[in-house]
Amino acid sequence: MATAPHARTTTAPVPTQSTYQTRVADYWNAEENPVNLELGRIDDLYHHHYGIGAADRSVLDETDPDLRRERLTAELHRLEQEQAVLLSSHLGPLSRDDRVFDAGCGRGGGSVVANLRYDCHADGVTISAKQAEFANAQARKRGIDDKVAYHHRNMLDTGFRSGAYAASWNNESTMYVELDLLFAEHARLLRRGGRYVTITGCYNDAYGRASREVSLINAHYICDIHPRSEYFRAMARNRLVPVHVQDLTADALPYWELRKQADHLVTGIEDTFLTAYKNGSFQYLLIAADRV
């Protein structure tokens, strides 16, 4: 397992801390979903999140079945790359000597995006040993393994050095953990003035309790979506002060509308996301906060 020089520890990592986390790790160790893998094969940037922005719907008019599939896949990947680029744009300014922390890194695409943008050092953490192995292989393939490393560790208890990071983030991974435990670890790892960013789905307090659609999403991904308000309460309790909040809900709709038409990628959850976004029970937010 590759480790970053400034984040090296002598303690053994503890990947899971509960039966639930073991189930989540088992899920991702077994996961081979085309919606993750086929998109990543285009340019070896493997993301585990959704996309934002206006979609090129002309791909749906393609009459050749094989070319239609190829164009649909490429357009969905472009939209998810737009999401990763937006998140990374809120991490800076960063220097090439700075370190960033990718919590719940999946197959590693977000850390690569940050490194390409800032030439910084990046440590990704995933509870899945399979994902960490895959992501490290990708870093070696790109020739950036001297700066980008992935670790089979728990993002709630990384063992990395306190204050070692200039920026950190979660990209659609906060719903797998308790927010107070998560933000306490980010606050510990970030230096004073360091930037934390998350893009996440959350349920809308103004709607009331979690809707039927939110419950279906939870069941589909074995997660527990938090209410919007809890993000800000938990940040305040853990020395993270929001400096930018952006509602991406409308920007997320084109991705889901397009993915619904991609027969080779659908998972059955597409209509649920679209309904939840449109009925106001579910929101897609970017929150950037400074560690004080």
Side-chain angles (χ1 to χ4, degrees):
M1 179 177 67
T3 55
H6 298 296
R8 189 182 300 277
T9 64
T10 57
T11 58
V14 182
T16 60
Q17 295 179 325
S18 67
T19 302
Y20 167 74
Q21 289 188 332
T22 300
R23 286 190 62 205
V24 172
D26 290 343
Y27 174 88
W28 289 111
N29 282 329
E31 184 268 338
E32 294 286 344
N33 199 315
V35 78
N36 293 320
L37 295 174
E38 287 203 26
L39 275 61
R41 291 189 185 106
I42 292 174
D43 56 5
D44 285 337
L45 278 171
Y46 290 84
H47 299 296
H48 283 276
H49 56 73
Y50 312 126
I52 56 170
D56 178 6
R57 297 185 64 85
S58 71
V59 300
L60 299 174
D61 300 327
E62 179 58 57
T63 56
D64 180 275
D66 292 335
L67 187 55
R68 184 179 190 272
R69 172 176 172 148
E70 181 181 322
R71 290 184 62 192
L72 258 171
T73 303
E75 181 61 5
L76 287 168
H77 183 55
R78 184 187 70 80
L79 295 174
E80 68 173 3
Q81 180 67 8
E82 286 294 312
Q83 194 261 34
V85 169
L86 175 66
L87 188 153
S88 70
S89 72
H90 287 275
L91 297 174
L94 297 170
S95 75
R96 65 190 311 272
D97 295 322
D98 282 328
R99 310 194 69 81
V100 298
F101 170 52
D102 183 357
C105 63
R107 288 185 172 93
S111 291
V112 176
V113 170
N115 171 262
L116 291 174
R117 184 183 187 95
Y118 300 105
D119 192 27
C120 57
H121 297 266
D123 287 303
V125 163
T126 172
I127 206 168
S128 163
K130 182 179 178 181
Q131 287 182 340
E133 182 180 1
F134 181 96
N136 278 315
Q138 291 298 118
R140 290 191 295 271
K141 182 178 178 180
R142 285 181 173 272
I144 58 173
D145 53 310
D146 60 327
K147 286 201 135 181
V148 178
Y150 302 93
H151 313 264
H152 178 214
R153 299 191 183 200
N154 193 312
M155 63 182 171
L156 302 180
D157 183 16
T158 63
F160 294 158
R161 181 166 59 86
S162 297
Y165 294 90
S168 64
W169 70 91
N170 286 91
N171 198 345
E172 292 183 18
S173 54
T174 55
M175 61 286 297
Y176 288 100
V177 293
E178 295 176 51
L179 292 182
D180 270 306
L181 296 177
L182 175 67
F183 293 156
E185 182 67 350
H186 279 286
R188 185 186 71 80
L189 293 173
L190 287 168
R191 67 193 185 197
R192 189 175 182 87
R195 174 64 54 82
Y196 171 73
V197 182
T198 184
I199 293 182
T200 187
C202 55
Y203 77 76
N204 183 2
D205 302 81
Y207 181 90
R209 300 296 296 171
S211 66
R212 175 180 180 273
E213 289 78 23
V214 169
S215 297
L216 289 172
I217 294 169
N218 280 336
H220 186 85
Y221 290 107
I222 322 176
C223 64
D224 187 13
I225 293 166
H226 304 289
R228 180 181 61 195
S229 60
E230 186 55 24
Y231 281 88
F232 300 100
R233 292 191 185 106
M235 284 183 179
R237 290 191 293 263
N238 289 283
R239 304 181 67 176
L240 296 172
V241 179
V243 293
H244 179 78
V245 180
Q246 188 171 349
D247 187 348
L248 300 172
T249 306
D251 297 305
L253 286 171
Y255 168 89
W256 287 102
E257 291 167 346
L258 197 63
R259 179 166 143 179
K260 181 180 175 181
Q261 304 298 318
D263 294 341
H264 62 299
L265 298 175
V266 294
T267 64
I269 201 65
E270 289 77 15
D271 278 327
T272 303
F273 270 88
L274 287 167
T275 300
Y277 283 144
K278 291 176 180 178
N279 70 20
S281 66
F282 191 52
Q283 294 178 295
Y284 198 53
L285 294 187
L286 180 151
I287 307 170
D290 286 343
R291 194 276 199 192
V292 297

